[in-house]
Each structure stands twice: as structure tokens, then as C-alpha cells.
Amino acid sequence: MNRHVTVGLDDSTESHAAAAWAAREAASRGVALRVVHVEEWPITPEIPLTLTEALVERYETLLREAAERARRDHPGLDVTTEMVHGRAGAELTRAADEAEVMALGSRGLGGFVGFLVGSVSLAVVATSSRPVVLVRAEQPGTEAGTTDSGAAGTAEQAAAAGSPPDVVLGLDIAHPSDPLLDFAFGTAARRNLPLRVVHSWSPPASYGYAAILDPEIGTGLGRRAAEGLAELLRPWRSRFPEVRVVEKVVIGPAARELVHASRGVELLVVGRRGRRPALPHLGHVAHAVIHHSAAPVAVVPLA
């Protein structure tokens, strides 16, 4: 099968935002775009033929218009469409496993609450063997740099406000992953954006009283974390010399720091360990980030 980026499409605003993201991603990679709609309604004698035909026509029109927009926005882009019948979670996961990256829309409830991730999107993110990106619709009526609840907004809004967007990677130096690093660096390189790598750490509980009595202990731990991050990124800097990398080591819960870092960025990239087809599962950091990030979130399965 030819290399491609896939988007799962329905008639929601968030889904159309995901389609636009996927078209841009496919164009930047120089691969095809596959637009998929999964129809779950059963085809049975009990459903009037006129209703069945109307639904088919509605979604064929949806797919055709999405393909036309993608070709118009990215001349020369190879776009294919497909309507499949079955369980949405299973069919979209199958489509994601065949793609370089899958894009899905996620409904936002404002910058404070963040994404509302449905069971289908959650299942695909938790079980796909390939990266999955969750994309929010732009929120109308908000000032540049903010959403309707006062949090920072989209990358486009940040750029309009004079703050250039970047790609943010949440990285645990204790569990490095080549697929995760390759996705983040590759995205930054293709989009000609800086890459901000955030590593969050917390001192062991046993250091509590000692750190209070001797602040240098915490300073030493932070210095070692920074040195570990720099060493881990060194070969990737060499592999992607065109990418400007900013390293940031912070003290605190990783989920909180990454949600904060997501404000005004182009894309937030996090990893996911393990694959459990029978029981969709996400680690607490990835779970928190995809529900509360202000930016699109790429969840990359670790090796």
C-alpha cells in the first residue's frame, strides 16, 4: 500500500479541522491523503430504502467535499476517499495501523476543561500501532492567544499575537523512544518550526526533609536531569541539524507541565507505552494531556 496519512471524517466541525490538519501533514510528508468515513448504522429490511439511500448520499457528499477542499488547499495532493461499514473504533484503528499517522477530531469544552474525547477516539489512540493526532476545532469569537475560558489558544492565534508557534515534546529520559523522538523531530523539520523538549521530574519522597535542609541537593538532581536530557538529544540534534531545539527541565507533575506547555503551540507530542486491544488503556500523562491540551495532541506508541 502507498504511504499515506488518514483522517477519520464525520460531519462535525472538529472532524473538518482534523481533515485540514491531515491534508497539511500529508502534503508536508509528500504522501497521499486517505479520507475515511465509518458508517455504523445497520443495513436491514427494517430501515426504509429511501433513508438508506439518503444516508449514503449524505456521506458520499461529505467525503467528496472534504477531498475537494484538500486538493484545493494543497494542489497536487493525491486524495482518496472511502466509506466503510462496521464498528467505528475497530475500523478506524485498522485504518490508523495502515497509515503513517491518523488524525481524528475531538470536541473541546474550552481551554480550562480541554478536549472531550469520546470512546471511539480513545480506543483508537490507546490501541493503534501508529501515531494518532487529536485535533480541536478553532473556537470562534476568541481574542488572539486566548480561548473562551482565558487559556492560551491555537498556534495561529499565538503567531498573530507575535509569539511564533513551536512543536512541544514531552519526554521521559528514563524511557526514551526512537519512534517518539523521530516523530517530534520530523514534524518540526517538515514544518520549519522550533522543537521544545520538556522533561519533568520530581525528587524522591526520601529527599523531602534533606532538600529542605540542603537546597543544593535539589539543584544537583536538576542538573543531572538536564545533563541526561542533553545527552539523550545529542544524536537527534545531529540527525536533524535544521531543527532549533530548546531543552526545558522542570520540577513537577509531567501532565500539569505539558498541559501548561501546550498553550499556543503547533503540536504537542507525547508517548504511550503498551498496546492492549481488549482493554484500551492510556498512561495517566497521555490521558490528562489529550483531555486538557490547548493544542492538537499526537500520541505516539513507544517501541
Side-chain angles (χ1 to χ4, degrees):
M1 181 176 291
N2 293 335
R3 296 173 56 203
H4 62 277
V5 170
T6 296
V7 59
L9 187 71
D10 56 33
D11 54 5
S12 69
T13 304
E14 297 76 26
S15 181
H16 288 296
W21 189 96
R24 182 184 177 195
E25 181 70 7
S28 72
R29 289 173 177 258
V31 302
L33 173 65
R34 181 186 180 201
V35 186
V36 177
H37 172 73
V38 179
E39 193 48 75
E40 289 193 306
W41 49 269
I43 302 177
T44 66
E46 288 76 18
I47 297 180
L49 180 60
T50 53
L51 176 58
T52 300
E53 293 175 342
L55 288 172
V56 170
E57 182 178 354
R58 172 185 176 186
Y59 289 115
E60 285 180 344
T61 299
L62 179 74
L63 289 168
R64 183 177 63 254
E65 291 178 347
E68 291 172 352
R69 280 193 299 272
R71 295 188 185 103
R72 182 179 64 247
D73 294 341
H74 305 277
L77 180 63
D78 179 13
V79 185
T80 60
T81 63
E82 183 177 4
M83 179 159 42
V84 299
H85 297 275
R87 302 297 297 175
E91 294 299 332
L92 290 174
T93 298
R94 186 176 298 111
D97 288 344
E98 297 172 351
E100 294 194 2
V101 59
M102 161 70 90
L104 296 171
S106 283
R107 179 156 49 96
L109 297 179
F112 178 75
V113 179
F115 283 99
L116 177 63
V117 181
S119 59
V120 171
S121 295
L122 195 62
V124 178
V125 168
T127 60
S128 174
S129 62
R130 304 294 299 166
V132 178
V133 178
L134 298 176
V135 184
R136 286 179 64 173
E138 292 185 19
Q139 298 181 22
T142 57
E143 296 179 0
T146 62
T147 65
D148 55 2
S149 60
T154 64
E156 289 78 5
Q157 292 171 331
S163 174
D166 55 3
V167 175
V168 172
L169 167 63
L171 185 63
D172 181 358
I173 62 175
H175 301 92
S177 165
D178 285 353
L180 179 65
L181 285 157
D182 185 68
F183 185 92
F185 272 86
T187 300
R190 286 188 300 272
R191 300 203 175 191
N192 193 29
L193 293 173
L195 175 64
R196 183 168 20 131
V197 183
V198 179
H199 169 62
S200 179
W201 69 279
S202 297
S206 58
Y207 280 73
Y209 290 113
I212 293 174
L213 296 174
D214 184 4
E216 287 299 317
I217 293 178
T219 301
L221 291 174
R223 183 166 54 249
R224 285 195 291 275
E227 291 170 351
L229 178 60
E231 181 65 24
L232 180 61
L233 294 179
R234 186 169 292 113
W236 292 92
R237 286 177 176 270
S238 298
R239 188 179 304 182
F240 293 89
E242 71 278 23
V243 175
R244 183 169 68 86
V245 181
V246 177
E247 301 169 13
K248 186 175 183 181
V249 175
V250 295
I251 301 177
R256 184 192 68 191
E257 296 299 333
L258 290 175
V259 169
H260 179 74
S262 73
R263 297 171 179 173
V265 307
E266 180 85 5
L267 182 69
L268 175 61
V269 184
V270 296
R272 170 183 63 78
R273 286 197 294 273
R275 177 173 177 168
R276 304 181 182 182
L279 181 62
H281 173 78
L282 285 171
H284 72 280
V285 173
H287 193 275
V289 165
I290 66 174
H291 280 83
H292 298 286
S293 171
V297 179
V299 181
V300 182
L302 305 183

